[in-house]
């Protein structure tokens, strides 16, 4: 594997300090088995060669594992190589005089702009992204490593790459690192194997990490093709960054949106106007139950093309369709300050709200 085919550049430390910690995305800890490989770590293997695009290629693995609307996106939908050249502002296919990206550059672009696609479908964007911190062999990092994979799936792992790490041992493990680095590399973290009594091969080691390579056919891991394993003590000197992002739901063009739910029975609501409309709702707008009086939830973000099936209980209110707590239902909004437009059946209507208030994620760059 040529050195230029690595491609991870260490992110600016000031940006890392501003990043959201993974603990803000995790639920209460679950019991971690001694050995685990995430089923969301796909068997399909990408090949970045000969480009220094490991950051976007490993991001593609992670996105394909979290996409909620479309499912399996590689290799036919998202285009990690074209996205790499877009982020760098270069013509597709090079030349690429300074190979590589900072991971946070790619994450910010994917959140703001989204992936280029191979099939011509609309771009896919990522949702919020979080740092797991600097990889190391400590118990605290092992805990976030395990909980992230168990709860949210595989994540992006970034490290220095020694000059003797271009082949693996027959066991699938990388060798004891040489003193010389060939550059930085980003890849997918898929699982672990813990050794309470110590790793059988390396003194002081308590666990091995299991990773999916972005170089096509690589490694001789006996259980997982195109994977490799690393004794965790090696990360104490080589670990750089680790990142996890979530899916932005509602950005996939297929399948088509389901039809709006039927109106509640007439006796449960008063309809003042039967003309379907759409409306843009601002963040923080209060919604009410179908009686038009009892507060329901506030809008969690600015949301466009919200479906309004009919007029509300009184003349200055309208019904809207929202999803709260995973349940689609009718709500009522006051029409003051809102502009309603004619309804078109080809408009996608997606509304998400937070029951306990408003929450936003900011971009790092």
């Amino acid at each position: 594997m040529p050195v230029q085919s690595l491609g991870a550049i260490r992110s600016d430390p000031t940006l890392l300090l501003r990043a959201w910690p993974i603990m803000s995305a995790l639920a209460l800890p679950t019991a971690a088995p001694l050995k685990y490989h995430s089923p969301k770590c796909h068997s399909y293997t990408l090949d970045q060669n000969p480009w220094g695009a490991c950051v976007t290629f490993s991001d593609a693995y992670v996105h394909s594992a979290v996409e909620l609307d479309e499912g399996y996106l590689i290799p036919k939908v998202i285009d990690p190589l074209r996205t790499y050249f877009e982020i760098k502002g270069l013509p597709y296919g090079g030349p690429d005089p300074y190979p590589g990206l900072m991971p946070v550059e790619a994450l910010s672009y994917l959140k703001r702009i989204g992936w280029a696609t191979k099939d011509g479908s609309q771009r896919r964007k990522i949702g919020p992204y979080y740092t797991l911190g600097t990889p190391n062999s400590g118990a605290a990092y092992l805990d976030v490593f395990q909980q992230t994979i168990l709860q949210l799936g595989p994540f992006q792992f970034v490290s220095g790459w020694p000059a003797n790490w271009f082949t693996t041992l027959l066991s699938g493990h990388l060798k004891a690192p040489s003193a010389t680095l060939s550059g930085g590399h980003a890849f997918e973290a898929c699982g672990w194997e813990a050794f309470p009594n110590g790793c059988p091969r390396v003194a002081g080691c308590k666990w091995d990490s299991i990773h999916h390579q972005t170089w096509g056919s690589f490694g001789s891991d006996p259980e997982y093709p195109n994977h490799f394993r690393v004794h965790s003590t090696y990360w104490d000197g080589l670990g750089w960054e680790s990142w996890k992002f979530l899916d932005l739901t509602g950005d996939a063009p297929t399948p088509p949106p389901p039809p709006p739910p039927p109106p509640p029975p007439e006796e449960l609501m008063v309809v003042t106007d039967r003309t379907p409309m759409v409306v843009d709702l601002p963040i923080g707008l209060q919604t009410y139950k179908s009686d038009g009086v009892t507060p329901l939830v506030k809008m969690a973000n600015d949301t466009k093309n919200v479906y309004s099936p009919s007029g509300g209980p009184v003349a200055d209110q309208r019904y809207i369709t929202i999803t709260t707590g995973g349940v689609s239902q009718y709500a009522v909004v006051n029409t003051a300050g809102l502009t309603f437009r004619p309804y078109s059946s080809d408009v996608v209507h997606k509304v998400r709200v937070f029951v306990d208030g408003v929450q936003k994620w900011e971009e790092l760059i």
Side-chain angles (χ1 to χ4, degrees):
M1 175 57 59
V3 172
Q4 65 265 29
S5 294
L6 292 171
I9 301 172
R10 207 162 191 167
S11 295
D12 186 328
T14 61
L15 298 178
L16 299 180
L17 291 174
R18 294 168 53 193
W20 287 91
I22 190 62
M23 297 307 296
S24 61
L26 295 175
L28 293 176
T30 59
L34 291 179
K35 184 177 179 180
Y36 183 78
H37 180 272
S38 173
K40 295 181 179 180
C41 190
H42 301 301
S43 59
Y44 188 88
T45 299
L46 297 172
D47 189 354
Q48 68 181 79
N49 188 41
W51 305 105
C54 62
V55 169
T56 54
F57 274 67
S58 54
D59 279 332
Y61 282 148
V62 177
H63 195 147
S64 185
V66 302
E67 177 75 39
L68 300 177
D69 307 284
E70 193 68 11
Y72 196 70
L73 297 183
I74 54 176
K76 296 182 178 180
V77 181
I78 56 178
D79 192 334
L81 186 58
R82 187 173 296 277
T83 304
Y84 169 78
F85 282 105
E86 285 185 1
I87 296 171
K88 301 197 71 174
L90 297 173
Y92 177 67
D96 184 17
Y98 303 103
L101 285 172
M102 291 191 298
V104 76
E105 286 183 277
L107 292 168
S108 178
Y109 186 89
L110 294 175
K111 188 172 186 293
R112 291 181 293 110
I113 308 299
W115 291 99
T117 58
K118 296 179 180 179
D119 62 354
S121 62
Q122 69 186 56
R123 288 178 175 267
R124 308 296 204 281
K125 294 182 179 181
I126 67 171
Y129 48 94
Y130 305 87
T131 176
L132 282 71
T134 301
N136 62 82
S137 65
Y141 185 78
L142 173 60
D143 182 59
V144 297
F145 186 107
Q146 293 173 323
Q147 294 304 316
T148 299
I149 292 179
L150 287 172
Q151 297 184 34
L152 302 175
F155 62 91
Q156 184 184 61
F157 201 103
V158 188
S159 76
W161 197 259
N164 67 337
W165 273 17
F166 291 91
T167 59
T168 67
L169 302 172
L170 292 179
S171 64
H173 289 80
L174 292 175
K175 306 169 187 177
S178 62
T180 303
L181 290 184
S182 293
H185 191 36
F187 39 93
E188 185 179 25
C190 295
W192 69 86
E193 184 169 5
F195 303 96
N197 297 321
C199 300
R201 298 175 178 85
V202 176
C205 171
K206 293 291 186 180
W207 58 284
D208 292 344
S209 53
I210 304 174
H211 302 279
H212 191 191
Q213 188 58 276
T214 60
W215 296 341
S217 180
F218 175 85
S220 54
D221 187 275
E223 295 182 84
Y224 312 111
N226 302 316
H227 285 58
F228 60 94
R229 304 189 189 206
V230 182
H231 300 304
S232 59
T233 48
Y234 299 165
W235 297 134
D236 291 335
L238 294 172
W240 285 4
E241 308 166 33
S242 45
W243 297 92
K244 178 63 182 176
F245 57 82
L246 304 183
D247 179 40
L248 180 66
T249 58
D251 62 341
T254 57
E266 287 293 332
E267 64 269 17
L268 298 182
M269 66 185 221
V270 178
V271 176
T272 57
D273 176 5
R274 295 186 178 278
T275 306
M277 305 287 279
V278 292
V279 63
D280 299 342
L281 300 182
I283 187 172
L285 179 72
Q286 180 68 59
T287 67
Y288 300 90
K289 294 185 177 180
S290 58
D291 60 10
V293 176
T294 306
L296 186 58
V297 292
K298 293 183 178 180
M299 295 301 300
N301 47 20
D302 295 325
T303 309
K304 297 184 179 299
N305 296 323
V306 179
Y307 180 64
S308 173
S310 61
V314 296
D316 59 352
Q317 292 181 329
R318 282 193 68 94
Y319 293 104
I320 59 169
T321 302
I322 65 171
T323 298
T324 174
V327 178
S328 180
Q329 61 180 289
Y330 276 101
V332 172
V333 293
N334 293 324
T335 58
L338 302 177
T339 301
F340 290 81
R341 303 183 301 278
Y343 167 74
S344 174
S345 60
D346 61 354
V347 173
V348 176
H349 311 291
K350 296 277 187 178
V351 183
R352 301 174 66 198
V353 295
F354 292 100
V355 175
D356 297 322
V358 176
Q359 183 177 2
K360 295 189 297 182
W361 291 275
E362 68 179 77
E363 297 193 47
L364 298 183
I365 56 176

